DNA sequence: ATTATATGAAACCAAAAGGTTTCATGTCAA
DNA sequence: TTGACATGAAACCTTTTGGTTTCATATAAT
């Protein structure tokens, strides 16, 4: 499905530098928790909790082998990030931006016509 | 410069849904705080603090006009995100991934050869 | 000159985040 | 079957985060 409605937000999941390191590490090879945590200056339990958050966001998958649990990268949820970012690419290569700024002029009106596709658009203008 | 060494991490800045909404809103037009906060179910001061965080990350720029301060999107720092994400694109369209997984086999060795370009690579394997 | 508007700073607070240590459980090895 | 290893869950603690209300200051308008 396109919107898998994950337990943890991808943006939130990648906000932590430790978790980003975990992702890059697990992209290379599947690894068990003890080995992974050997690369971090914190307890195994702490790393384990980070892994859980990543798993909740769908960014890693676990596989039990005997008494160990191996984790590996699952890049698919990063597509959401990619889509989000794609919206802003128009600000780099699109000439429309300059035009828009010009048209805007100087008025202080707060009305919004275009809004970027934001996942949680709970409250709008009332 | 390539590494502007900002006060706030971009990943951290965009982790909050409110701040993401702010970015999309400010991409359309420059706006003063009062107008912006009218679109959110929180106090003006709270919105102001979010704007400060975005500004610290370089994602918005402020411009004082008389007694009001207008904010607008500054998309440049998103390039860091784009670069980060680019690393993981190999997991989508690269056949090497399947090959790599195959070569890995089943060993439990924790040694890492390749590491993704992570900004804070403070501690390594000691 | 006085009042209203726009904003940021400060002090404060509750909840979430990121750690720790300890404990329980399941699996492997002798 | 006994002991060592791998791991997650639980309880706990401190710092950060996201919000509030109140106050101070600068500019605009009357």
């Amino acid at each position: 499905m396109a919107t898998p409605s994950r337990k943890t937000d991808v943006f939130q999941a990648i906000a932590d530098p430790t978790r980003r390191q975990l992702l890059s590490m697990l992209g290379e090879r599947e690894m068990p928790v003890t080995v992974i945590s050997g690369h971090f200056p914190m307890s195994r339990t702490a790393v384990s909790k980070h892994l859980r958050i990543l798993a909740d966001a769908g960014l890693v998958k676990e596989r039990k082998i005997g008494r160990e649990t191996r984790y590996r990268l699952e890049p698919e949820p990063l597509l959401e990030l990619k889509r989000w970012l794609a919206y802003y690419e128009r600000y780099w290569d699109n000439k429309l931006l300059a035009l828009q700024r010009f048209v805007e002029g100087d008025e202080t009106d707060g009305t919004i016509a275009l809004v970027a596709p934001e996942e949680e658009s709970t409250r709008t203008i009332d």
Side-chain angles (χ1 to χ4, degrees), chain A residues 5-61:
Chain A
S5 177
R6 292 169 190 97
K7 212 166 129 203
T8 297
D9 183 27
V10 165
F11 292 89
Q12 168 61 25
I14 64 164
D16 186 276
T18 298
R19 288 196 290 268
R20 290 199 295 281
Q21 273 190 251
L22 281 170
L23 290 184
S24 75
M25 197 172 285
L26 296 174
E28 303 311 323
R29 47 164 46 76
E30 178 184 72
M31 282 189 285
V33 181
T34 306
V35 171
I36 299 170
S37 71
H39 300 317
F40 292 88
M42 65 188 73
S43 72
R44 176 189 53 76
T45 319
V47 171
S48 196
K49 289 210 287 188
H50 280 302
L51 286 169
R52 171 111 343 270
I53 289 168
L54 289 174
D56 286 346
L59 284 164
V60 300
K61 280 278 259 300

Side-chain angles (χ1 to χ4, degrees), chain A residues 14 42 45 60 62 75 81 101 120-121:
Chain A
I14 64 164
M42 65 188 73
T45 319
V60 300
E62 3 179 326
L81 191 64
R101 287 262 169 81
E120 50 248 287
S121 33

Side-chain angles (χ1 to χ4, degrees), chain A residues 105-122:
Chain A
D106 219 35
E107 77 278 356
T108 323
D109 175 24
T111 316
I112 288 178
L114 283 170
V115 175
E118 253 305 299
E119 59 292 340
E120 50 248 287
S121 33
T122 317

Side-chain angles (χ1 to χ4, degrees), chain A residues 1-6 76 80 83 119:
Chain A
M1 62 188 81
T3 312
S5 177
R6 292 169 190 97
E76 190 272 334
E80 183 183 345
R83 271 187 286 108
E119 59 292 340

Side-chain angles (χ1 to χ4, degrees), chain A residues 96-106:
Chain A
L96 264 141
L97 199 259
L99 175 62
Q100 182 200 27
R101 287 262 169 81
F102 176 75
V103 170
E104 269 177 40
D106 219 35

Side-chain angles (χ1 to χ4, degrees), chain A residues 87-99:
Chain A
Y87 174 83
Y88 292 96
E89 306 218 335
R90 72 194 193 99
Y91 291 111
W92 291 312
D93 46 42
N94 202 337
K95 297 299 177 193
L96 264 141
L97 199 259
L99 175 62

